[in-house]
Amino acid sequence: MCIKTQTSRFTGSSWAQLERLAAALEEADAVLVGAGAGLSTSAGFAYSGERFRRYFGDFEAAYGFHDMYSGGFYPFPTLEEHWAYWSRFIFLNRYCDPPKPVYQNLLELLKEKDTFVLTTNVDHCFQKAGFDKRRLFYTQGDYGLWQCSKPCHDKTYDNQEAVRQMVEAQGFQVTERGLLPPAQPKRAVPTELVPRCPVCGAPMSMNLRADNTFVQDDGWYQAAQRYEWFLRSRKELRVVFLELGVGYNTPGIIKYPFWQMTAANPQATYVCVNYQDALCPREIEQQSLCIQGDIHQVLEQLVGR
């Protein structure tokens, strides 16, 4: 259960706050990073605006949604159109690098520390930046994995090559810099490219936690065990719970447990960096540092100290 009391809010960032954060990280025996969608947003993975219109303008004109997130829930009339949308989405947000070096700066900041990462993000940015896969638990799935939609078995499948074929079939050009859209992209993939389960023949689906069909494969359970071991073996040490860009869609995964673990460990420090709602419960106010601002700017200043 979460701590159900009033919270303290913090506004803006200052050099004094950054110095306190740097000191907390320097003194820490271990750092547990909790990363939410705001971290990738700060790195430039915007789901709306110009980036959306550049790659999904034809879908916007046809169906009237105005961001990638909404499009992910749209009931497209055919599987060919469904996978045209999702292949673009996957390629952009899983196989392209974000434009800002947020994850690289975080790695640089923590490279000498005993670190584990718990994230609800599904875009693989931590691994692409060089974080140790054995110190990473991505609880909600991975854009780079497919599963049976039923599901008839607990296994996931890498989709990189299939996704590349799909976007190229729509007229997109894959370059070293990312995805180059054609003037008039095709809004469907060939039927033979629609992915189907190799066991039962049902359509494949994204390995994303949206309902009770989400597949937790062997890799998921192994990561969960490593996370639990990290917590148990460091629960009495000076731990910094570094929460970055976590909102309130699924606060029970990162935010509330971080509050609870900080309250249970007098040597722990809770750090929240968020563009909005940088706050903490009053019970742990003396153990907390909350910075309201752009994560990209905060990390750049810390790395450049």
Side-chain angles (χ1 to χ4, degrees):
M1 61 188 294
C2 65
I3 302 174
K4 297 181 179 179
T5 62
Q6 290 184 321
T7 54
S8 296
R9 294 179 178 271
F10 297 76
T11 305
S13 61
S14 65
W15 187 252
Q17 286 179 309
L18 296 178
E19 287 295 311
R20 284 185 59 201
L21 175 51
L25 293 174
E26 178 67 26
E27 296 168 5
D29 299 313
V31 178
L32 178 57
V33 177
L39 183 61
S40 287
T41 300
S42 73
F45 269 179
Y47 278 19
S48 60
E50 191 278 332
R51 186 169 181 258
F52 169 75
R53 291 188 294 272
R54 176 174 171 80
Y55 297 103
F56 297 94
D58 54 339
F59 280 98
E60 182 179 33
Y63 295 114
F65 53 78
H66 306 293
D67 63 87
M68 296 185 213
Y69 184 79
S70 299
F73 293 94
Y74 195 87
F76 296 107
T78 67
L79 286 173
E80 289 79 3
E81 200 164 2
H82 171 92
W83 286 111
Y85 179 85
W86 270 104
S87 61
R88 298 183 203 179
F89 188 111
I90 297 165
F91 194 91
L92 289 168
N93 297 302
R94 174 62 167 75
Y95 297 116
C96 293
D97 293 328
K100 299 177 185 178
V102 169
Y103 286 87
Q104 290 82 356
N105 285 339
L106 182 61
L107 180 63
E108 176 67 20
L109 185 66
L110 301 177
K111 65 182 180 181
E112 304 296 334
K113 306 306 297 186
D114 178 19
T115 302
F116 197 98
V117 175
L118 173 68
T119 182
T120 54
N121 294 347
V122 293
D123 51 25
H124 211 67
C125 284
F126 281 102
Q127 282 157 276
K128 287 190 290 185
F131 281 81
D132 185 351
K133 183 180 179 179
R134 296 167 298 178
R135 293 295 188 97
L136 172 62
F137 182 23
Y138 47 100
T139 65
Q140 304 299 82
D142 183 344
Y143 285 147
L145 298 176
W146 285 337
Q147 62 169 73
C148 176
S149 59
K150 286 189 174 180
C152 72
H153 64 297
D154 293 336
K155 185 178 178 181
T156 58
Y157 299 85
D158 182 90
N159 62 28
Q160 184 171 8
E161 182 55 33
V163 165
R164 183 186 181 109
Q165 292 178 22
M166 287 182 184
V167 296
E168 289 179 337
Q170 295 172 71
F172 288 83
Q173 182 180 352
V174 176
T175 72
E176 291 183 357
R177 300 183 63 183
L179 202 59
L180 183 64
Q184 293 183 323
K186 298 177 183 177
R187 210 174 64 242
V189 301
T191 300
E192 60 268 24
L193 292 183
V194 171
R196 292 191 175 274
C197 175
V199 177
C200 72
M204 297 292 265
S205 63
M206 298 298 299
N207 181 231
L208 303 175
R209 190 185 299 278
D211 54 32
N212 60 4
T213 65
F214 176 67
V215 167
Q216 296 176 176
D217 62 8
D218 289 343
W220 190 98
Y221 284 107
Q222 291 167 12
Q225 290 174 356
R226 290 191 293 266
Y227 173 58
E228 291 298 327
W229 174 82
F230 184 89
L231 293 180
R232 288 197 306 270
S233 59
R234 293 153 177 84
K235 63 182 180 179
E236 296 180 357
L237 302 179
R238 292 174 297 182
V239 180
V240 169
F241 294 98
L242 180 58
E243 181 192 300
L244 302 171
V246 176
Y248 284 90
N249 283 338
T250 54
I253 297 175
I254 296 173
K255 187 179 291 289
Y256 293 164
F258 276 25
W259 290 354
Q260 292 171 329
M261 289 186 287
T262 300
N265 180 358
Q267 297 194 88
T269 301
Y270 169 71
V271 178
C272 174
V273 186
N274 210 329
Y275 198 73
Q276 299 180 15
D277 291 330
L279 51 84
C280 68
R282 294 199 182 279
E283 289 96 332
I284 61 170
E285 186 172 355
Q286 299 304 312
Q287 294 174 256
S288 299
L289 175 59
C290 299
I291 300 174
Q292 188 158 306
D294 186 342
I295 299 171
H296 168 60
Q297 294 178 0
V298 170
L299 293 178
E300 282 219 321
Q301 292 179 74
L302 285 170
V303 170
R305 289 174 65 253

